Amino acid sequence: KEPLTFTCSEEPKDKQTVDDILKKAKAGNWKIFDLKETAVKRSPRPPFITSTLQQTASSQLGFAPSRTMQTAQRLYEAGHITYMRTDSLNLSAVAIAQAASVIEKKFGKEMVEVRKYKTKSKNAQEAHEAIRPTNLAKEVVGMNDEQKKLYNLIWRRTIASQMVDAQMLRTKITAGVEDKSVPEFEANGSRVISPGW
């Protein structure tokens, strides 16, 4: 009994075609022609580098890039995060082990998946690490609300980067008028089977 929105598989070129499709669609008997389900995996994103931290802080926290960098600078000076000017996706062996330990305690051993990320840029500073908390056991850190929010963003991204994929099931339903006098209509959806990271 749930209402379901279908989209026409062919975009009508003019109003006359739209009216024609609507008229036939309302008069005809509808039928489901096909139902396909596909299992898909969604992998976690790599840990933050300078540009991705600025983008994510802007979209999720509403921080301007300068505000993000000033706040990160304070966290870095206080020893809470690694250097925030980096284009390396590397995490040290210590950080990976720490992340695995936190994930195991918080979510269970089966949620850990050690991942090493490769930096695409040829001239990346591989000596630096990605931006991460210096102590992943500390979930909340910072002198004010701004620092706490940014630290939490960095903490979550670092932890997620070492977790198993999310398992999703994508569904595509194709329906239309039985006599096929109009183009087919489609509805797409997906559901989480296992949330993973």
Side-chain angles (χ1 to χ4, degrees):
K1 303 260 186 273
E2 287 285 318
L4 189 58
T5 305
F6 283 82
T7 307
C8 191
S9 59
E10 294 168 29
E11 197 171 321
K13 300 277 181 266
D14 51 50
K15 188 168 180 349
Q16 179 58 51
T17 313
V18 171
D19 293 340
D20 190 45
I21 291 172
L22 285 172
K23 191 175 152 196
K24 288 176 181 166
K26 283 177 183 164
N29 279 329
W30 278 71
K31 175 181 176 183
I32 302 279
F33 295 132
D34 193 23
L35 193 151
K36 274 196 191 85
E37 288 199 311
T38 323
V40 285
K41 285 194 266 199
R42 276 191 57 203
S43 298
R45 292 192 176 99
F48 284 125
I49 58 174
T50 308
S51 60
T52 54
L53 176 63
Q54 289 174 338
Q55 288 158 13
T56 309
S58 170
S59 65
Q60 289 187 23
L61 306 175
F63 287 12
S66 58
R67 185 176 170 201
T68 298
M69 294 315 282
Q70 284 164 359
T71 309
Q73 179 76 39
R74 302 281 172 277
L75 288 168
Y76 171 68
E77 285 167 359
H80 297 311
I81 63 168
T82 55
Y83 191 53
M84 68 283 148
R85 294 201 180 277
T86 180
D87 51 6
S88 168
L89 297 173
N90 283 346
L91 287 177
S92 69
V94 170
I96 291 172
Q98 235 182 46
S101 164
V102 170
I103 295 162
E104 195 174 324
K105 277 193 195 96
K106 208 169 163 63
F107 305 106
K109 196 177 180 68
E110 69 285 354
M111 296 304 275
V112 177
E113 185 172 324
V114 172
R115 299 168 186 264
K116 286 191 171 22
Y117 295 91
K118 286 273 174 272
T119 307
K120 288 183 178 76
S121 165
K122 295 248 187 301
N123 50 8
Q125 300 281 318
E126 291 295 332
H128 285 306
E129 272 191 85
I131 305 166
R132 66 164 179 89
T134 50
N135 181 358
L136 283 158
K138 291 183 182 173
E139 202 171 326
V140 181
V141 156
M143 298 287 285
N144 56 36
D145 201 35
E146 214 169 49
Q147 288 181 19
K148 284 177 183 156
K149 281 180 180 171
L150 191 66
Y151 178 85
N152 182 256
L153 197 68
I154 296 165
W155 183 88
R156 286 195 331 245
R157 180 74 160 244
T158 309
I159 291 293
S161 78
Q162 298 302 306
M163 290 180 77
V164 296
D165 290 339
Q167 309 285 339
M168 328 269 282
L169 206 55
R170 223 174 250 154
T171 309
K172 181 182 179 180
I173 305 172
T174 308
V177 177
E178 239 171 332
D179 65 7
K180 298 199 179 218
S181 57
V182 297
E184 289 181 347
F185 281 69
E186 294 166 353
N188 293 294
S190 67
R191 59 192 195 274
V192 176
I193 303 303
S194 162
W197 58 274

